[in-house]
Amino acid sequence: MDASELQAIGDTMMRLVTPDMTPKELVKAVRKVHPDAKKKDIARAAFHAIIADANQDLGKSRSLQAFALAERTQQAE
């Protein structure tokens, strides 16, 4: 997946994520907009969005960080 696709997914995540959203709900919502996105790509996009948009919305960045870390540790197991 190239950088523009990661950015597009990250932008979608920033629009959709809420503090009470579970990782599973976020993946499902993102896949409605980006049906070909793999979980691994969605986690990468979350990290990308955190880096790119951290100073714009701290709450959403924290939610994405929690999601991205949970996905990365789950994939490592």
Side-chain angles (χ1 to χ4, degrees):
M1 180 162 284
D2 67 18
S4 64
E5 291 172 307
L6 284 178
Q7 182 175 354
I9 294 171
D11 292 345
T12 299
M13 294 178 85
M14 286 299 285
R15 281 194 322 272
L16 298 176
V17 70
T18 61
D20 60 334
M21 188 175 261
T22 67
K24 188 175 182 176
E25 291 170 333
L26 182 56
V27 169
K28 186 176 178 180
V30 169
R31 283 192 173 151
K32 285 182 181 180
V33 180
H34 304 277
D36 295 332
K38 298 176 186 172
K39 274 180 99 173
K40 185 176 183 178
D41 296 327
I42 294 170
R44 285 182 182 166
F47 280 115
H48 176 78
I50 292 166
I51 293 166
D53 300 322
N55 60 350
Q56 292 179 10
D57 190 329
L58 187 58
K60 286 186 177 193
S61 293
R62 285 184 178 158
S63 295
L64 288 180
Q65 181 183 25
F67 164 76
L69 291 173
E71 287 301 310
R72 293 296 284 182
T73 57
Q74 183 180 33
Q75 290 174 9
E77 295 174 351

